[in-house]
Amino acid sequence: MSDAAVAAVFLLAQNRLLREALAKILGKKTDIAVVGSCVFSSQALDEVTKVAPDVLVMDSFGGGSVELGFLHEVKSQVPELKIVLIGMDPSEQLFLQAVREGVLGYVLEDASALEVVSTVRSVANGEAICPPKLCATLFHYVARQKSSVPNFRVRLNLGLTNREQQLVLLIGRGLTNKEIASQLQLAEQTVRNHVHRMLRKVGAHDRFAVVEMCRMQGLPI
Amino acid sequence: MGQYAYVCSMERGVEKIRVLVANRPRLMREVVLATISDQPDIEVMGEITDDTDIGQVVEQSKPDFVIIALDHMDQRPALCDDLLARHPEMKILALAPERNSSVFFWSVMNIRSARVESSEAGILGALRGKTQLADAVASVRFQ
């Protein structure tokens, strides 16, 4: 935080009433100062970087989607910026994408104003906050990564990347492209592309031949 | 003042504007409450978290205004028709959480509407009857 006791907060929201009321609610807290607010626009990035707040609070009403591209940009320009998303959809995929972009606070659309305040405060103090159900999603996601440690021989001899090896493990368990997509939080088309690329790389005719070739190289399938 | 007359009170100078807050999601409802609850001329009759209760609560509390959620900018909420049919003296403000516009509905023979800015000034102006409705009526079309 720019001051030991006060977190500088910037509000980025489409709805003016939300900006005004949140500024009013947050402004009443002695440990929070609202240093700016604006609507999503082509100038929003400049506005945020110019003020360089400790915490950026962004809303996402209307379908729960959020400007992931904007998050990426703003984090690359102000890497130490802490971001809180409010009004969010409980979608696991959107949540994980937001976490990948460096979001530290994820507040659902049915949250109260008090929860927004408490999330801003916690994030400003270096914590990460999300709903318990999505926290479980995060734990499961990290746990799945453990079972997919890449195999050096598979990479060297077959040229398969870490992600491709991850897919081979799941294909080996009999998962469909759709199930793999859901487990890895990817689009089904992305999985199809990966599989197609793997078949080409190793010269196999079907996905199970790739699994067999990887098993022979020592991949624990 | 436009094409409606307030039953409430500001014109009589004694009573407060009685408002029932029933919009969604929860954060937007609390945002509205934070905006209007400290106004000396506005009395919050209560908040409703479930639309199914609204008819009964309106019947009991007789508000001047009800604030509800607007899911589609070009579609009048069915709730609006039901409430204004039963309480033609009441006005409804419908807020779209992701937009900068809200819509104000009232009934004079049939249901009229006008667009209102979703801001503190816009909402308070609408509740206090300061919205310039005459020009705005034609700008909103509803199915």
Side-chain angles (χ1 to χ4, degrees), chain A residues 4-39:
Chain A
V6 180
V9 175
F10 193 100
L11 301 172
L12 186 55
Q14 206 59 30
N15 186 294
R16 184 170 166 183
L17 182 68
L18 179 67
R19 291 199 306 275
E20 290 173 343
L22 273 186
K24 197 168 164 179
I25 293 166
L26 291 168
K28 284 182 184 166
K29 311 295 170 192
T30 52
D31 55 346
I32 295 171
V34 178
V35 293
S37 70
C38 73
V39 66

Side-chain angles (χ1 to χ4, degrees), chain A residues 14-22 24-25 28 39 59 61-62 86-87 109-116, chain B residues 23 25-28 30-32 34-36 38-39 95-102 117-121 123:
Chain A
Q14 206 59 30
N15 186 294
R16 184 170 166 183
L17 182 68
L18 179 67
R19 291 199 306 275
E20 290 173 343
L22 273 186
K24 197 168 164 179
I25 293 166
K28 284 182 184 166
V39 66
D59 90 313
F61 289 109
I86 62 171
E109 64 176 4
D110 61 352
S112 67
L114 203 63
E115 284 171 81
V116 173
Chain B
N23 62 322
R26 181 179 174 182
L27 181 58
M28 284 307 291
E30 293 189 5
V31 155
V32 169
T35 304
I36 65 173
D38 57 358
Q39 300 297 317
L95 305 187
E98 75 279 16
R99 299 290 194 102
N100 268 325
S101 292
S102 305
E117 187 190 38
S118 269
S119 64
E120 184 172 323
I123 302 301

Side-chain angles (χ1 to χ4, degrees), chain A residues 112-137:
Chain A
S112 67
L114 203 63
E115 284 171 81
V116 173
V117 173
S118 123
T119 301
V120 168
R121 192 172 273 149
S122 300
V123 166
N125 287 322
E127 296 170 11
I129 302 289
C130 70
K133 192 165 182 292
L134 290 176
C135 188
T137 299

Side-chain angles (χ1 to χ4, degrees), chain A residues 90-112:
Chain A
S91 148
E92 293 184 354
Q93 190 167 348
L94 188 62
F95 168 68
L96 289 173
Q97 281 173 330
V99 171
R100 280 192 203 104
E101 294 299 343
V103 164
L104 288 173
Y106 198 90
V107 183
L108 300 182
E109 64 176 4
D110 61 352
S112 67

Side-chain angles (χ1 to χ4, degrees), chain B residues 67-101:
Chain B
I67 299 180
I68 63 170
L70 183 64
D71 296 318
H72 306 285
M73 281 306 285
D74 57 351
Q75 207 174 337
R76 190 165 70 213
L79 186 58
C80 177
D81 294 27
D82 293 346
L83 289 174
L84 289 180
R86 275 190 280 160
H87 305 277
E89 73 291 349
M90 197 173 71
K91 284 109 199 154
I92 295 175
L93 194 55
L95 305 187
E98 75 279 16
R99 299 290 194 102
N100 268 325
S101 292

Side-chain angles (χ1 to χ4, degrees), chain A residues 120-163:
Chain A
V120 168
R121 192 172 273 149
S122 300
V123 166
N125 287 322
E127 296 170 11
I129 302 289
C130 70
K133 192 165 182 292
L134 290 176
C135 188
T137 299
L138 197 56
F139 276 42
H140 293 316
Y141 182 79
V142 173
R144 280 199 299 268
Q145 305 302 305
K146 181 179 171 278
S147 63
S148 56
V149 176
N151 179 296
F152 181 70
R153 282 181 64 197
V154 173
R155 175 177 274 274
L156 192 70
N157 297 333
L158 300 177
L160 298 188
T161 64
N162 299 355
R163 176 61 102 185

